Amino acid sequence: MPLQRREIAPEKTAEQLELCERIRLRLGPGERFAMVDTYGCQQNESDSEILRGFLRAMGYTMTGDEQLADVIVVNTCAVREHAQMRVFGNVGALTHVKREHPERIVVLCGCMAQSEQIREQVLRSYRMVDLCFGPNELWRFPELLERTMQVHGLPGNRGRVFEAGGEDAVAEGLPRMRDGSVKAWLTIMSGCNNFCSYCIVPYVRGRERSRRSADVIAEASALIAAGYRDITLLGQNVNSYGRGLDEDTDFPDLLRRIDAIPGDFRVRFMTSHPKDATEKLFRAMAECEKCAPHIHLPVQSGSNRILKAMNRQYTREKYLALTERARELIPDLVLTTDVIVGFPGETEEDFLDTLRLTEEVRFDSMFTFIYSPRPGTPAAKLEDPTPRQEIQSRFDRLVESANAVSAALHASQEGRVVRVLIDGPGRSGDYTLSSRTDGGRLVHLKGSESLIGSWADVKITGSNTYALFGEIVRA
Ligand code: SAH
Ligand code: SF4
Ligand code: F3S
């Protein structure tokens, strides 16, 4: 069945930009501040750059101080309950700002805003929120903000704008205010069609759709020309890039075309679903000089029974074979993963399968999560007799094992000389610089901040569970 793929007409995005300019003129001279607070994954980080791009076009200066901001945007994540609780806590705390400055505008957008149940909760109990809209409405943020400004202060619900729905479309040509000048996100696709049984993302982000390869290549070329040196291609499952496009392309092809862009940069990507990771991908990674030898390949569980209940569509054996092949083909591959502990019905034996798998693969780093039921997903209907304490103990055992593996792998790097990209100021004691190896390992360095943005050869002199420490040999 051919997939329907819609694009927002370029005239419509152009109208949004014109509207930004009209808002800027109407608000007049004088400095105005806006703040964008981001939760969740890189996709949201990337969307926040668009929110800031629009706000800047409206004449706002960005601030990190909520006491100062005329517009406060909270870009939310719904993936686990904990993330939602943090959002509600922080939004609730804005009550006092609103009380003192009722003219200020509070916006709640992102994945939580797409859930009907949450919108109702916000409408009822979070009176400080003036505008609420889901991810599909992002491209028309100026129009929604303008409407909010018009009705602002009117009595009752008329004083607030709540929008969700929208089509699962691709919008090009949106403004962007990027966070740094060394590393850049590049969204190549949105949405997800996988419906893992525990996951809210397909419900809040809609159906998967890819950007045209020409648009992706044009954006990558512009970033490289502007001096960006580390580009991360983003999608919930980059391995299915290209499906539904009226061109014959796939993710390995895209990677090769980006690699062929002249310039001094490296390219990485997130996230790969194991069911769609192929030898073709690993070969492209190995052959593309500028492709980082890093793959984030979330395994979620090492038990075939649980993988089936999660609807992951691969087995433990397939996963092990994949990672083995990837390591054969890609020298110095850095392999990272996500694991969920305490999926409904997980037994001690299932958990031990997970633990054994991770000890066999030896991941460079692992993100571990305790299962969080998401209303509306199939898994949320499953009963789970396992006591919370038991799940916590499994989680602790897994983290302890993962940390020991990371520490050992890091220690094995000591004495080596590796290439890094110095990407920012340091945050670790007297180590003044932060850098990443091609594989993405964090290396703390000492040196002048003038080196930020450049490559260096460094000797690894120390390590811990989370990072390496090094000395610059040649900058
Ligand atoms: N598209 C990516 C994952 C996006 S969500 C992928 O499939 O790899 C990031 C991670 O959050 C997932 O890999 C999973 O480990 C975790 N996660 C998602 N839903 C969760 C839930 N309901 N409870 C706990 N962890 C969850
Ligand atoms: Fe969620 Fe699965 Fe899609 Fe990842 S692939 S976003 S875990 S449904
Ligand atoms: Fe969260 Fe939405 Fe990303 S739910 S993990 S911000 S896609």
Side-chain angles (χ1 to χ4, degrees):
M1 188 183 68
L3 296 170
Q4 284 279 338
R5 181 179 172 283
R6 296 199 179 82
E7 275 182 32
I8 304 295
E11 311 83 76
K12 286 192 171 178
T13 36
E15 273 169 26
Q16 298 297 319
L17 286 170
E18 285 159 21
L19 183 55
C20 288
E21 180 60 10
R22 286 208 297 280
I23 294 173
R24 192 179 70 79
L25 292 172
R26 195 189 63 233
L27 293 174
E31 195 154 37
R32 292 178 298 279
F33 294 95
M35 174 176 152
V36 179
D37 196 8
T38 313
Y39 296 77
C41 65
Q42 291 84 357
Q43 192 74 57
N44 258 16
E45 298 282 348
S46 167
D47 286 352
S48 284
E49 292 182 345
I50 294 174
L51 290 162
R52 291 193 191 98
F54 276 133
L55 287 161
R56 181 169 63 180
M58 292 174 211
Y60 288 94
T61 301
M62 294 306 133
T63 174
D65 181 358
E66 62 188 28
Q67 299 298 326
L68 200 63
D70 301 286
V71 176
I72 300 176
V73 184
V74 188
N75 190 8
T76 66
C77 170
V79 82
R80 283 172 291 276
E81 195 181 2
H82 178 72
Q84 279 186 195
M85 303 286 280
R86 273 178 54 224
V87 167
F88 278 136
N90 291 349
V91 171
L94 294 174
T95 312
H96 68 277
V97 178
K98 268 302 255 200
R99 203 172 290 136
E100 276 174 52
H101 306 280
E103 75 289 358
R104 295 193 176 170
I105 292 180
V106 175
V107 183
L108 189 146
C109 61
C111 295
M112 277 170 69
Q114 190 65 32
S115 143
E116 201 172 320
Q117 178 220 331
I118 290 181
R119 273 199 315 283
E120 273 168 20
Q121 194 177 346
V122 172
L123 205 49
R124 228 181 17 249
S125 314
Y126 291 82
R127 305 289 312 168
M128 68 297 283
V129 174
D130 303 295
L131 165 61
C132 181
F133 64 90
N136 280 349
E137 314 284 349
L138 177 68
W139 67 275
R140 58 188 198 106
F141 171 53
E143 179 190 331
L144 297 174
L145 189 62
E146 165 78 348
R147 249 167 64 199
T148 310
M149 287 170 167
Q150 300 305 338
V151 297
H152 200 56
L154 295 181
N157 285 344
R158 287 170 58 213
R160 310 165 82 196
V161 174
F162 278 56
E163 290 271 340
E167 341 179 271
D168 297 343
V170 173
E172 295 292 345
L174 304 179
R176 212 176 249 281
M177 183 172 162
R178 294 196 179 265
D179 283 342
S181 53
V182 183
K183 296 193 280 187
W185 307 123
L186 203 176
T187 299
I188 62 167
M189 59 205 295
S190 318
C192 182
N193 286 352
N194 290 318
F195 291 95
C196 301
S197 64
Y198 50 82
C199 184
I200 195 78
V201 172
Y203 303 88
V204 293
R205 286 276 175 176
R207 292 296 60 72
E208 181 184 283
R209 61 270 185 198
S210 297
R211 292 176 68 194
R212 276 176 215 291
S213 64
D215 292 325
V216 174
I217 302 290
E219 187 170 344
S221 304
L223 287 169
I224 294 155
Y228 286 92
R229 302 207 151 187
D230 184 296
I231 295 175
T232 305
L233 310 178
L234 293 180
Q236 292 301 343
N237 176 15
V238 294
N239 297 340
S240 56
Y241 172 79
R243 284 183 203 160
L245 279 177
D246 51 8
E247 49 179 317
D248 186 18
T249 187
D250 64 8
F251 186 62
D253 285 349
L254 186 76
L255 212 48
R256 286 181 194 274
R257 286 172 63 193
I258 293 176
D259 183 66
I261 301 172
D264 194 10
F265 67 95
R266 68 186 173 201
V267 56
R268 53 182 80 251
F269 53 87
M270 287 192 89
T271 293
S272 288
H273 194 304
K275 83 175 162 64
D276 299 314
T278 55
E279 171 125 359
K280 185 176 178 195
L281 169 69
F282 302 148
R283 286 196 184 279
M285 288 176 73
E287 286 161 24
C288 290
E289 201 194 325
K290 295 166 194 163
C291 181
H294 173 209
I295 187 159
H296 183 65
L297 200 61
V299 66
Q300 313 298 2
S301 169
S303 151
N304 282 337
R305 204 176 66 80
I306 296 295
L307 285 171
K308 192 153 198 289
M310 286 177 162
N311 189 29
R312 289 291 286 181
Q313 299 178 50
Y314 54 84
T315 59
R316 153 194 195 92
E317 292 72 27
K318 163 149 187 218
Y319 189 90
L320 287 169
L322 259 186
T323 48
E324 197 178 325
R325 192 72 188 121
R327 278 186 171 144
E328 275 164 19
L329 290 171
I330 308 162
D332 280 332
L333 179 69
V334 171
L335 193 59
T336 57
T337 201
D338 294 346
V339 175
I340 298 178
V341 174
F343 184 83
E346 181 190 80
T347 62
E348 175 67 14
E349 197 44 46
D350 293 319
F351 168 72
L352 289 176
D353 278 344
T354 301
L355 188 65
R356 284 190 287 252
L357 179 139
T358 63
E359 287 179 346
E360 187 173 336
V361 177
R362 294 175 67 76
F363 293 101
D364 288 83
S365 81
M366 200 154 104
F367 299 87
T368 36
F369 306 104
I370 289 186
Y371 168 75
S372 167
R374 305 285 66 216
T377 61
K381 298 190 194 77
L382 302 175
E383 297 286 326
D384 190 17
T386 319
R388 173 82 204 185
Q389 246 171 304
E390 179 60 34
I391 292 173
Q392 185 66 47
S393 134
R394 288 178 196 163
F395 179 83
D396 294 343
R397 280 184 281 161
L398 187 64
V399 170
E400 196 183 324
S401 155
N403 285 349
V405 172
S406 295
L409 290 175
H410 282 164
S412 73
Q413 296 290 311
E414 287 178 27
R416 286 185 66 182
V417 174
V418 293
R419 185 179 85 137
V420 298
L421 175 62
I422 301 174
D423 56 12
R427 274 160 296 176
S428 182
D430 46 355
Y431 285 83
T432 48
L433 294 173
S434 156
S435 73
R436 295 267 173 187
T437 65
D438 287 341
R441 291 192 178 100
L442 174 62
V443 187
H444 298 296
L445 297 172
K446 292 177 189 168
S448 150
E449 289 204 2
S450 65
L451 291 171
I452 293 173
S454 44
W455 307 100
D457 290 331
V458 303
K459 181 166 184 191
I460 304 303
T461 52
S463 70
N464 62 26
T465 306
Y466 309 101
L468 305 173
F469 296 84
E471 271 167 22
I472 298 176
V473 179
R474 195 157 50 91

